Amino acid sequence: MSFVSNLISELERSTAGSEQTAREVMRLCGEISAKRALFVGDDFDTPRIIAEATKAEVLAGYAEQYRVDRALERGISANLVMTYELPKSEDGWEFLWYNGLSEPDGVPRRLEELKNILKSGGVAVFRTLCYLIEPSLDTRGYVERRFGKPEELDRVLREAKDEGLKIRDFYIAPKSDWTHGLYEPLREAMRRLEAAADDDDEVSGIAELNKEMGMFELHSEEYSFVYYILTT
């Protein structure tokens, strides 16, 4: 693992988020009753919240073995998945929640996959990184180098409709999901390691993370995660 990967592995989550956001998104989903549900992401609050709200047996998928191990320690049913992998269910998932970042194959392809593994009448939460307004050239250049190419918020809505999905609601992650949910614990972890950083990988990793946090502080109104609540 790289220095940055090792640093992030110490955190509760590896991307911006919060228990409060997960609860609010779940509330916007409305009343849902399901036998089995799927969560793919990087935190442990969301699968617990899904289980509480739907009474479903929840399978959580994580792309890192250490997150699978931590989930199992907390009593969460968890499997290791490949990056961008969405496990299938024989009869289709009645409820699924996918915390994506950006989509290298494009949002339409991801929406098609979500629809294909969702049971008729089921509900899906699709999180993806979006531009909230027209980004500045500096923001676009940095964000697309750091995270991949986000979609515009409204474009995802159109693409979901084109795929035949109905949009129940959407929720924009607040700035605090980034600052309190990710960057504050990241800074704390960096402080513990920064003084001992003595090779190029560590120094460049710290510089890159500081740049990411500085960029968000300057341009947080231009991009964030958006949670789309979709139905078939």
Side-chain angles (χ1 to χ4, degrees), residues 149-187:
K149 188 174 181 180
E151 289 272 32
E152 294 81 9
L153 186 157
D154 290 345
R155 184 174 179 180
V156 177
L157 294 172
R158 294 194 299 271
E159 290 168 339
K161 290 179 180 178
D162 290 344
E163 190 55 44
L165 292 163
K166 300 172 186 175
I167 298 142
R168 180 170 291 183
D169 214 329
F170 67 89
Y171 182 79
I172 300 170
K175 182 177 180 179
S176 59
D177 275 14
W178 297 77
T179 55
H180 300 319
L182 178 62
Y183 292 147
E184 287 178 8
L186 183 58
R187 283 193 177 98

Side-chain angles (χ1 to χ4, degrees), residues 33 57 79 97 112 144 182 189 205 226 230:
S33 179
E57 178 186 335
N79 282 350
W97 183 313
E112 179 185 15
E144 295 185 9
L182 178 62
V226 179
L230 311 169

Side-chain angles (χ1 to χ4, degrees), residues 58-74:
V58 181
L59 173 65
Y62 300 96
E64 303 88 6
Q65 184 61 51
Y66 65 83
R67 292 201 184 276
V68 174
D69 295 340
R70 291 175 192 172
L72 293 172
E73 289 171 0
R74 299 177 190 213

Side-chain angles (χ1 to χ4, degrees), residues 12 39-48 59-72 74 76-83 85 87:
E12 185 72 8
F39 168 75
V40 176
D42 63 343
D43 72 274
F44 311 112
D45 291 325
T46 305
R48 174 172 53 83
L59 173 65
Y62 300 96
E64 303 88 6
Q65 184 61 51
Y66 65 83
R67 292 201 184 276
V68 174
D69 295 340
R70 291 175 192 172
L72 293 172
R74 299 177 190 213
I76 299 169
S77 177
N79 282 350
L80 184 66
V81 299
M82 300 292 290
T83 304
E85 178 188 359

